[in-house]
Amino acid sequence: MGITNIVVNPADVPTMSKEKLRKTDAVDCNKLARELRSGSLVGIYVPGVETLELRSLIRMRNLIVKDSIRAKNRIKSLLRFHGVEIPEEFTRCSIGCWSKRFLSWLQALELSTEYGKKTLELHLEQFVRLRKMLL
């Protein structure tokens, strides 16, 4: 429609002490009009659709990473609760390597009851799903 708009940070609009005391829509409108007329208002950066969607994707990836860390911690906690020691060959890695061999060892692990085994299976299934999503 030919109307030029800018988005302004409210903190960047100069305000007199009288305007701070009398805060109304009319006072704010006059203040914005005065500053627009003088050309002192500078618009802030408004990201485009592509940038916003990219941010969403990055945020989603970060959530999946956090969820996979939680899933790993739940599995380790379950093993500790049931008194299962993780073999040294799998604990040597300082960053917590969850290799295919380690996952195979976890899947073959027998707990004392079928309920414990099912719980471990569900945790592993959730972790594998998250890992696939991440990859």
Side-chain angles (χ1 to χ4, degrees), residues 10-16 19 31 34-35 40-41:
D12 291 342
V13 180
T15 306
M16 294 182 265
E19 292 169 336
K31 177 174 60 170
R34 179 187 69 231
E35 296 304 321
S40 65
L41 291 180

Side-chain angles (χ1 to χ4, degrees), residues 37-74:
R37 222 176 296 117
S38 71
S40 65
L41 291 180
V42 179
I44 61 172
Y45 171 71
V46 179
V49 175
E50 186 176 345
T51 304
L52 292 173
E53 289 177 0
L54 182 60
R55 283 183 189 173
S56 295
L57 180 63
I58 291 169
R59 286 184 184 122
M60 189 66 204
R61 184 189 184 283
N62 290 339
L63 285 174
I64 293 170
V65 168
K66 284 180 184 178
D67 287 344
S68 85
I69 291 170
R70 285 187 183 122
K72 288 178 183 181
N73 289 338
R74 287 184 190 122

Side-chain angles (χ1 to χ4, degrees), residues 4 38 90 102:
T4 306
S38 71
F90 300 123
F102 180 58

